[in-house]
Amino acid sequence: MPKDDLTRPAATMPRHIAIIMDGNGRWAQQRFMPRGLGHRAGVKTVRKIVEYCGQLKIEVLSLFAFSSENWRRPEEEVTLLMSLFLSTLQSEINKLKKNNIRLKFIGDRAAFSAALQDMMTDAEAQTQSNTALTLVIAVNYGGQWDICQACQTIIDKMANGQLPEQAIDAELLNQHLSTADLPNPDLFIRTGGEQRVSNFMLWQLAYTEMYFTDTLWPDFNETTLDQAIVSFQGRERRFGHTSEQIAGITAPS
Ligand code: IPE
Ligand code: IPE
Ligand code: MG
């Protein structure tokens, strides 16, 4: 399947939705509650949106859970986010299995405890043959990290003879990104009002349709996701072509 499929009419459902789940802290602060309660409320939204994307038969849902820059937060908040991540993983794994959801983590795992790394590997292994939604959780992820690790892997493979010496092109890089087995996101959503990418999938978002909403992540729901999808369906994706060409395209050129 091509990374950017020109044959799909714009009014179809996105194959891959990527979300920056932002606004948990402000949601809590508006209620005079500690930020941690915002993160807990955010986990409930994750459950809701994962379930709904399953119903909509979305192929891939990617959620930005913790960026490589989020280590800069107060230690107490980082600790809470890590324990929430661990407990959610433990409590949700059976439901994911039951719902035929394949779980995949992207990001630099080296920073996590051995126990957490094992749990992540185990959760992926337990769901690897599932065929409904692929749920990608980006933890300690950065788009710049992803491009660097892909380049490093390519260089290492060339050095030890696994890959012939060749110029790096987009396809070769694609094959070494942490998303190599996935289509690129069709729809990017950022909740919480900020209009920036914050080092999410920098390479993969090259031709993604962007949608920004002021809704804070704990308030995001099926209806607000529908609004984003309707906005997506109203866009004309040209991938560099003219509008007239798009009207006549029947096969990738
Ligand atoms: C997003 O919500 C969750 C993470 C980054 C882990 P925030 O915690 O960034 O919420 P705001 O932006 O402070 O409201
Ligand atoms: C982006 O949100 C990262 C996640 C949602 C995990 P941030 O709240 O960390 O982004 P900035 O710092 O406002 O750009
Ligand atoms: Mg934020």
Side-chain angles (χ1 to χ4, degrees):
M1 188 64 79
K3 281 270 169 192
D4 296 307
D5 187 355
L6 292 180
T7 60
R8 286 170 70 83
T12 55
M13 292 298 278
R15 292 177 67 194
H16 181 173
I17 300 178
I19 307 183
I20 298 190
M21 312 181 286
D22 198 17
N24 293 349
R26 279 164 286 163
W27 183 91
Q29 281 160 348
Q30 284 172 4
R31 287 162 180 75
F32 306 101
M33 300 190 312
R35 294 175 56 86
L37 288 182
H39 295 312
R40 286 183 198 285
V43 172
K44 288 191 186 156
T45 306
V46 170
R47 285 198 196 99
K48 209 184 294 181
I49 295 303
V50 169
E51 197 175 321
Y52 190 49
C53 283
Q55 287 168 18
L56 293 177
K57 306 237 178 308
I58 301 292
E59 286 176 48
V60 186
L61 173 67
S62 294
L63 300 175
F64 203 7
F66 191 88
S67 78
S68 42
E69 288 72 35
N70 286 145
W71 297 107
R72 297 173 184 158
R73 293 195 176 196
E75 199 184 322
E76 192 188 297
E77 182 165 342
V78 171
T79 307
L80 181 125
L81 284 167
M82 287 300 145
S83 74
L84 205 54
F85 175 47
L86 193 80
S87 61
T88 307
L89 190 57
Q90 280 168 332
S91 65
E92 298 302 307
I93 183 72
N94 285 332
K95 196 153 103 199
L96 295 179
K97 280 160 70 178
K98 198 179 100 211
N99 292 333
N100 198 18
I101 294 172
R102 179 170 80 107
L103 189 60
K104 178 183 168 79
F105 296 102
I106 58 170
D108 186 358
R109 302 182 191 198
F112 299 131
S113 68
L116 184 50
Q117 288 187 45
D118 287 350
M119 200 169 289
M120 289 162 74
T121 311
D122 187 49
E124 286 178 327
Q126 287 190 53
T127 61
Q128 68 180 355
S129 314
N130 290 351
T131 53
L133 177 73
T134 294
L135 175 61
V136 179
I137 306 288
V139 271
N140 194 21
Y141 179 86
Q144 292 175 344
W145 165 83
D146 204 359
I147 296 166
C148 291
Q149 69 77 26
C151 292
Q152 190 62 55
T153 308
I154 292 169
I155 291 167
D156 292 348
K157 282 186 180 176
M158 284 184 189
N160 67 25
Q162 279 176 274
L163 255 185
E165 297 262 341
Q166 59 188 293
I168 294 180
D169 61 15
E171 190 40 43
L172 188 63
L173 205 100
N174 265 324
Q175 288 165 9
H176 291 86
L177 289 169
S178 55
T179 50
D181 56 334
L182 306 172
N184 283 331
D186 300 295
L187 172 61
F188 162 95
I189 299 171
R190 182 171 185 144
T191 62
E194 312 297 352
Q195 303 199 354
R196 54 178 174 251
V197 176
S198 299
N199 199 16
F200 196 26
M201 298 181 177
L202 299 179
W203 174 280
Q204 297 87 336
L205 293 175
Y207 264 106
T208 304
E209 297 297 328
M210 314 295 272
Y211 183 87
F212 298 96
T213 171
D214 288 338
T215 304
L216 303 172
W217 178 249
D219 292 327
F220 197 73
N221 58 25
E222 293 86 345
T223 308
T224 44
L225 178 58
D226 281 343
Q227 286 164 359
I229 293 173
V230 167
S231 167
F232 167 82
Q233 290 174 330
R235 316 259 181 112
E236 181 181 65
R237 305 187 74 189
R238 289 195 285 277
F239 299 97
H241 291 89
T242 65
S243 209
E244 291 72 20
Q245 284 176 302
I246 294 298
I249 279 178
T250 51
S253 54

